[in-house]
Amino acid sequence: MTSKFFAIIAGVGAGTGRSVALRFAKSYPVVLLARNPQSYSDIVSEITSSGGQALGISADTSDADSLASAFKTIKDELKDQHLAAAIYNVGSGFAVKPFLDFTPSDLEASLSSNARGLFNFAQQTLPLLLSSVSASPPHPPSLIVTGATASVRGSPRFATFAAGKFAARALTQSLAREFGPQGVHVAHVIVDGVIDIPRTKQWEANGGVEDGKINSDAIAESYWHLHTQHRSAFTQELDLRPYVEKF
Amino acid sequence: MTSKFFAIIAGVGAGTGRSVALRFAKSYPVVLLARNPQSYSDIVSEITSSGGQALGISADTSDADSLASAFKTIKDELKDQHLAAAIYNVGSGFAVKPFLDFTPSDLEASLSSNARGLFNFAQQTLPLLLSSVSASPPHPPSLIVTGATASVRGSPRFATFAAGKFAARALTQSLAREFGPQGVHVAHVIVDGVIDIPRTKQWEANGGVEDGKINSDAIAESYWHLHTQHRSAFTQELDLRPYVEKF
Amino acid sequence: MTSKFFAIIAGVGAGTGRSVALRFAKSYPVVLLARNPQSYSDIVSEITSSGGQALGISADTSDADSLASAFKTIKDELKDQHLAAAIYNVGSGFAVKPFLDFTPSDLEASLSSNARGLFNFAQQTLPLLLSSVSASPPHPPSLIVTGATASVRGSPRFATFAAGKFAARALTQSLAREFGPQGVHVAHVIVDGVIDIPRTKQWEANGGVEDGKINSDAIAESYWHLHTQHRSAFTQELDLRPYVEKF
Amino acid sequence: MTSKFFAIIAGVGAGTGRSVALRFAKSYPVVLLARNPQSYSDIVSEITSSGGQALGISADTSDADSLASAFKTIKDELKDQHLAAAIYNVGSGFAVKPFLDFTPSDLEASLSSNARGLFNFAQQTLPLLLSSVSASPPHPPSLIVTGATASVRGSPRFATFAAGKFAARALTQSLAREFGPQGVHVAHVIVDGVIDIPRTKQWEANGGVEDGKINSDAIAESYWHLHTQHRSAFTQELDLRPYVEKF
């Protein structure tokens, strides 16, 4: 990889992660992180076969050591390059059930992927993003975090998922306020709707109307817009939802 | 004017209105509304001299009759064209003072430009935007409204300004929920910072650091992004602030 | 009237206004403001017949002159007494309809009763509340404002009502931040549900379950609690809703 | 202990926990939970010496087994009695530092005391509260959770504390929406200021003015008010701050 800047996307697979990877790969080499190679291998192929550069690395963001090891590899592989954008899009599946049916491990799963994983990812990427500020990046170095309806609303039967998502939003706000003045753009995106991916094909959403589920390429366009915002006009948070979504 | 689609910007002058007009004029003929011709005449010249199309019309949005008359002119001038985007950026100046020093006319001024004016503008533009939905527009027809810090926070000494700005945000939310499902994108932008215009040159903002005031062209880029969002991923609200702004 | 302190409730009739008047009349003489005597005359009788003191005055809060005249009467009638609490509970009825069916007068009605009326009422009562701070009141002098679901949510078909209610919330926040440090407690109450009054008897709410509509005496207890809070622990905003209400 | 109803307060010591225990002990026997007996033993003495009933139990709410064991003791000791109110007031101390100085254990500490502990406590108390609904309690059975400024704002240098507090708020919202309709009142209190306790004596707060720190007895009065609210008018969230606090 020879470009001066690169991007990292944690949490790829179908949907947002893949679309964001493809979008950012138009401008940067991209590093894709996922727990299992099968989550990123097809995307790596897709990017490289169309002339982009992509590197997949297996890592568990909720495990500080696993992530540190992945970043050691990244620094080795991309030495002399600067981190332009870091996207945190890790999502565990989540359980939806009456509160008294949840177990402590349901809560742990949500806290791990949403809070602990973001914490670790931010600790690894922010030093790199900070050092990019002075490297004449084309756009302000950015950390963008994927949120959900549950980031701002504790719905019944969503207690554990909301706990993790609220926590991630808290981290993101705090990071925005600390690192914004240092030139790093930290943004949070509330994805409020069902994303149109193979796994959700059978899901009923908005009565089955056209575009009633979110096109993940459209999400990626907004991430790219966030990344390219001028530092005098940073967005800290925006929502994304289908035109027919109730909210 | 011969393009099939056009845009209307209400509230032009230095800053956001001018930048948005220039940005949208790259793709559409634009109609500029302001109370006084001196607010729009230079912008019209600037657009037309660079090959764009612009029409300035004097109107007071807070006066339903005045606005209706302006829209009659618009329909005459742009018949057979469809409204692609309507931007409401009308700002009265606003008074900042201890509450007991405000007079009822301070309140009226804020309610007029923020609530009443937006109400009238929405009543004129929404029928046009709705009828554009089926005209194969390049992007979903959009109504975008300029908010401020005072849209979400009633600060001391800002009682009247906040009253008007909160009211405008309420209208925008209600319109988004009613007209989104009909294909019209209604968005609200919270501009949280001082805009870098001639009038604010002497204002101290963020210690005078570079880009500590908002570049209005950067605002315009985000408005354009909102306008071009896919209907499966509409943003209802985003904030814009300098990287160094306290929030 | 001989007590050293008194309370004013603007907007009485069935429901919250009446219940608040009765609750505060247990501790203070109360002044009741309404546009028409029939709104307050029964409540005055109810209070006086049970040993309390009440004075009804006809006034339109949205008309600064009308309200000033009422306060002139109040100062004459209650000279040497101090204002302990001022409650703003004025509600116009409100229209619920598609946005394009609203007329400018629908918007004006909401702005008048919610924003303009509160502005005028606050301008009349805050000087009195401020002067009570040093008069050894039993509780911090209080201005309490009745809000609604529409104070924090612009629902479809509620555009004009929400505009007024958002504006009132803005005013209240601004007043809390300005007058709190001077010892006056300004609080906003979000009443999120149907109140159980004769007018709503036939309304379906929460499937008709017991206590699915709000008991206005319960609202009054929370207003009284707000009034009696220690100045080291003021609540600026709370919500009130039936246990079965969706939110 | 012979009363038909009792209350549990988790997280006692100086400040809110002690004041809430004393306040609820006026009406109910109280069970006090803390990790160490020295946190509750003086309060137990204070309550019993003034004629109340109190039982202290050592437990770590963040450890599901430890808490289960404590509740086994509670059920043995208070058999035939019903749980009227459960208060979650557990606070770890919290670290305030630049994000890159935090360690994963800082995050874990906050998630443990705020999210995991509340989760466990809610799983133990909600079945008891639900069973109290039909036992003719004097007030709706209540679960009240102590929040902080960091529950709604991710401030710089507060990343880990805010993560835990946001998560707790998420849980509380979700529980309110699930258990409210079953008759259990779940409320969240945002304590926005420094509490006046021995540990904060030297802290500068609000310029040292009188009542510039929160009186914990005042907090307890608002908790008691929440507990006694009629089920037709439940508050889900309220804030408490000194009259001079900036917000």
Side-chain angles (χ1 to χ4, degrees):
Chain A
M1 293 189 177
T2 56
S3 161
K4 194 177 167 195
F5 293 94
F6 70 104
I8 299 176
I9 296 98
V12 293
T16 304
R18 177 182 162 277
S19 291
V20 170
L22 294 173
R23 183 65 186 83
F24 280 67
K26 291 185 188 177
S27 297
Y28 302 119
V30 294
V31 175
L32 311 184
L33 301 179
R35 268 180 295 195
N36 302 309
Q38 58 265 41
S39 294
Y40 58 70
S41 54
D42 285 358
I43 309 174
V44 169
S45 303
E46 194 173 353
I47 291 171
T48 54
S49 70
S50 61
Q53 291 177 287
L55 170 67
I57 300 178
S58 299
D60 178 355
T61 55
S62 70
D63 175 336
D65 293 337
S66 164
L67 196 64
S69 166
F71 272 80
K72 192 170 176 318
T73 302
I74 291 170
K75 289 168 196 169
D76 288 346
E77 295 278 332
L78 295 102
K79 54 176 165 295
D80 304 327
Q81 298 188 44
H82 299 281
L83 183 59
I87 314 293
Y88 191 75
N89 183 56
V90 174
S92 61
F94 57 92
V96 180
K97 42 187 165 174
F99 179 71
L100 295 174
D101 291 349
F102 280 118
T103 63
S105 65
D106 289 319
L107 179 66
E108 291 311 307
S110 177
L111 295 179
S112 273
S113 65
N114 292 303
R116 203 172 285 128
L118 173 57
F119 178 89
N120 293 334
F121 185 73
Q123 289 218 322
Q124 291 290 343
T125 56
L126 280 164
L128 303 180
L129 293 165
L130 283 172
S131 79
S132 299
V133 172
S134 56
S136 301
H139 307 290
S142 309
L143 170 60
I144 304 176
V145 177
T146 302
T149 317
S151 303
V152 289
R153 180 182 160 82
S155 296
R157 303 170 64 99
F158 281 76
T160 57
F161 184 53
K165 282 296 184 190
F166 269 57
R169 185 169 179 254
L171 290 174
T172 309
Q173 276 188 14
S174 185
L175 297 175
R177 291 184 168 108
E178 180 174 345
F179 294 94
Q182 301 178 62
V184 176
H185 184 185
V186 182
H188 183 249
V189 178
I190 297 169
V191 178
D192 181 25
V194 173
I195 301 176
D196 189 9
I197 50 174
R199 185 167 57 86
T200 64
K201 270 291 173 273
Q202 304 309 320
W203 296 19
E204 179 69 15
N206 292 313
V209 301
E210 196 184 346
D211 295 327
K213 292 177 190 167
I214 307 177
N215 180 328
S216 58
D217 290 343
I219 296 177
E221 285 303 321
S222 284
Y223 279 51
W224 183 253
H225 175 66
L226 288 169
H227 174 53
T228 62
Q229 285 182 320
H230 187 255
R231 68 173 176 171
S232 80
F234 279 168
T235 290
Q236 207 283 305
E237 187 166 84
L238 60 77
D239 50 295
L240 292 174
R241 70 174 60 77
Y243 68 116
V244 285
E245 189 78 20
K246 280 257 173 63
F247 71 103
Chain B
M1 293 190 176
T2 56
S3 161
K4 195 177 166 193
F5 292 94
F6 71 103
I8 299 176
I9 296 98
V12 294
T16 304
R18 177 183 162 277
S19 291
V20 170
L22 294 173
R23 182 63 186 85
F24 280 67
K26 292 185 188 177
S27 297
Y28 303 118
V30 294
V31 176
L32 310 184
L33 300 180
R35 267 181 295 194
N36 302 310
Q38 57 265 43
S39 295
Y40 57 70
S41 53
D42 285 357
I43 308 174
V44 168
S45 301
E46 194 173 353
I47 291 171
T48 53
S49 70
S50 60
Q53 291 177 286
L55 171 66
I57 300 177
S58 299
D60 177 355
T61 55
S62 70
D63 176 335
D65 291 339
S66 165
L67 196 65
S69 166
F71 271 81
K72 191 171 178 314
T73 302
I74 291 170
K75 289 168 196 169
D76 287 347
E77 294 279 332
L78 294 103
K79 56 177 163 296
D80 305 327
Q81 298 188 43
H82 299 281
L83 183 59
I87 314 293
Y88 191 76
N89 182 57
V90 174
S92 61
F94 56 92
V96 179
K97 43 186 163 174
F99 179 71
L100 296 174
D101 291 349
F102 281 117
T103 63
S105 65
D106 289 318
L107 179 67
E108 291 311 308
S110 177
L111 296 179
S112 274
S113 65
N114 292 302
R116 202 172 286 126
L118 173 57
F119 178 90
N120 293 334
F121 185 73
Q123 290 218 321
Q124 290 291 343
T125 57
L126 279 164
L128 303 180
L129 292 165
L130 282 172
S131 80
S132 298
V133 172
S134 55
S136 302
H139 307 291
S142 309
L143 171 60
I144 305 176
V145 177
T146 301
T149 316
S151 303
V152 289
R153 181 181 159 82
S155 295
R157 303 170 63 100
F158 280 77
T160 57
F161 184 52
K165 282 295 185 191
F166 269 57
R169 185 170 179 251
L171 290 173
T172 308
Q173 277 189 13
S174 185
L175 297 176
R177 291 184 168 109
E178 180 174 346
F179 293 94
Q182 300 178 62
V184 176
H185 184 186
V186 182
H188 182 250
V189 178
I190 297 170
V191 179
D192 180 26
V194 173
I195 301 177
D196 189 10
I197 50 174
R199 185 168 57 87
T200 64
K201 270 292 173 272
Q202 304 310 318
W203 295 19
E204 179 69 17
N206 292 313
V209 301
E210 195 184 346
D211 295 328
K213 292 176 190 166
I214 307 177
N215 180 327
S216 60
D217 291 343
I219 297 176
E221 286 303 321
S222 285
Y223 280 52
W224 183 254
H225 174 66
L226 287 170
H227 174 53
T228 62
Q229 285 183 320
H230 187 256
R231 69 174 175 170
S232 80
F234 279 167
T235 291
Q236 207 282 305
E237 186 166 84
L238 59 78
D239 49 297
L240 292 173
R241 70 175 61 77
Y243 68 117
V244 286
E245 189 78 20
K246 279 256 174 65
F247 72 102
Chain C
M1 293 190 176
T2 57
S3 160
K4 194 177 168 193
F5 293 94
F6 70 103
I8 299 176
I9 296 98
V12 295
T16 304
R18 177 182 163 277
S19 290
V20 170
L22 294 173
R23 182 65 187 80
F24 280 67
K26 291 185 189 178
S27 296
Y28 302 118
V30 293
V31 176
L32 311 185
L33 301 180
R35 267 181 295 195
N36 302 311
Q38 58 264 45
S39 295
Y40 59 69
S41 54
D42 284 356
I43 307 174
V44 169
S45 302
E46 194 173 352
I47 290 171
T48 53
S49 70
S50 58
Q53 291 176 288
L55 170 67
I57 300 177
S58 299
D60 177 356
T61 56
S62 70
D63 176 336
D65 292 338
S66 164
L67 196 64
S69 165
F71 271 80
K72 192 171 178 313
T73 302
I74 291 170
K75 289 168 196 169
D76 287 347
E77 293 280 331
L78 294 102
K79 56 176 164 295
D80 304 327
Q81 298 188 42
H82 298 280
L83 183 58
I87 315 293
Y88 191 75
N89 182 57
V90 174
S92 61
F94 57 92
V96 180
K97 43 186 165 174
F99 179 71
L100 295 174
D101 291 349
F102 280 117
T103 64
S105 65
D106 290 318
L107 179 65
E108 291 311 308
S110 177
L111 295 179
S112 274
S113 65
N114 292 302
R116 202 171 285 126
L118 173 56
F119 178 90
N120 293 334
F121 185 73
Q123 290 219 321
Q124 290 291 343
T125 56
L126 279 164
L128 303 180
L129 292 165
L130 283 172
S131 79
S132 298
V133 172
S134 55
S136 302
H139 308 290
S142 309
L143 171 60
I144 304 176
V145 178
T146 301
T149 315
S151 303
V152 288
R153 180 183 160 82
S155 295
R157 304 169 64 98
F158 280 77
T160 56
F161 184 52
K165 282 295 184 190
F166 270 56
R169 185 169 178 252
L171 291 173
T172 309
Q173 277 189 13
S174 184
L175 297 175
R177 291 184 167 109
E178 180 173 347
F179 294 94
Q182 301 178 62
V184 176
H185 184 185
V186 182
H188 183 250
V189 178
I190 297 170
V191 178
D192 181 24
V194 174
I195 301 176
D196 189 11
I197 51 174
R199 186 168 56 88
T200 65
K201 268 291 172 275
Q202 304 310 320
W203 295 19
E204 180 69 16
N206 292 313
V209 301
E210 195 183 347
D211 294 328
K213 292 176 191 166
I214 307 178
N215 180 327
S216 59
D217 290 343
I219 297 177
E221 286 303 321
S222 284
Y223 280 51
W224 183 253
H225 173 66
L226 287 169
H227 174 52
T228 62
Q229 285 183 319
H230 187 256
R231 70 172 174 170
S232 80
F234 279 168
T235 290
Q236 206 282 305
E237 187 165 85
L238 59 78
D239 49 296
L240 292 174
R241 70 175 61 77
Y243 68 117
V244 286
E245 189 78 19
K246 279 256 174 64
F247 71 103
Chain D
M1 294 187 173
T2 56
S3 161
K4 195 177 166 195
F5 293 93
F6 71 103
I8 299 177
I9 296 98
V12 294
T16 304
R18 177 182 162 276
S19 290
V20 170
L22 295 173
R23 183 64 186 83
F24 280 67
K26 292 185 188 176
S27 296
Y28 302 118
V30 293
V31 176
L32 310 184
L33 301 180
R35 268 181 295 194
N36 302 309
Q38 58 264 42
S39 294
Y40 58 70
S41 54
D42 286 357
I43 308 174
V44 168
S45 302
E46 194 173 354
I47 291 171
T48 53
S49 70
S50 61
Q53 292 177 286
L55 170 66
I57 301 178
S58 299
D60 178 356
T61 55
S62 71
D63 176 336
D65 292 337
S66 165
L67 196 65
S69 166
F71 272 81
K72 191 170 177 317
T73 303
I74 292 170
K75 289 169 196 169
D76 287 347
E77 294 280 332
L78 294 102
K79 55 176 164 295
D80 305 328
Q81 298 188 43
H82 298 281
L83 183 59
I87 314 294
Y88 191 75
N89 183 57
V90 174
S92 61
F94 57 91
V96 180
K97 43 186 164 175
F99 179 70
L100 295 175
D101 291 349
F102 280 118
T103 64
S105 64
D106 289 319
L107 179 66
E108 291 312 308
S110 177
L111 296 179
S112 272
S113 66
N114 292 302
R116 201 172 287 127
L118 173 56
F119 178 89
N120 293 334
F121 185 72
Q123 289 219 322
Q124 290 291 343
T125 56
L126 280 164
L128 303 180
L129 293 165
L130 283 172
S131 80
S132 298
V133 172
S134 55
S136 301
H139 308 290
S142 309
L143 171 60
I144 305 176
V145 178
T146 303
T149 316
S151 303
V152 289
R153 180 182 160 82
S155 296
R157 304 169 63 99
F158 281 76
T160 56
F161 184 52
K165 282 296 185 189
F166 269 57
R169 185 169 179 252
L171 290 174
T172 308
Q173 276 188 14
S174 184
L175 297 176
R177 290 184 168 109
E178 180 174 345
F179 293 95
Q182 301 178 62
V184 176
H185 183 186
V186 182
H188 183 249
V189 178
I190 297 170
V191 178
D192 181 26
V194 173
I195 301 176
D196 189 9
I197 50 175
R199 184 167 59 85
T200 65
K201 268 292 173 271
Q202 304 309 320
W203 296 19
E204 178 70 17
N206 292 314
V209 300
E210 195 184 348
D211 296 327
K213 293 176 192 165
I214 307 177
N215 181 327
S216 59
D217 290 344
I219 297 177
E221 285 303 322
S222 284
Y223 279 51
W224 183 253
H225 174 66
L226 287 169
H227 174 53
T228 61
Q229 284 183 320
H230 188 256
R231 69 173 174 170
S232 81
F234 279 167
T235 290
Q236 207 283 306
E237 188 166 83
L238 59 77
D239 50 295
L240 292 174
R241 69 175 60 78
Y243 69 117
V244 285
E245 189 78 19
K246 280 256 173 63
F247 71 102

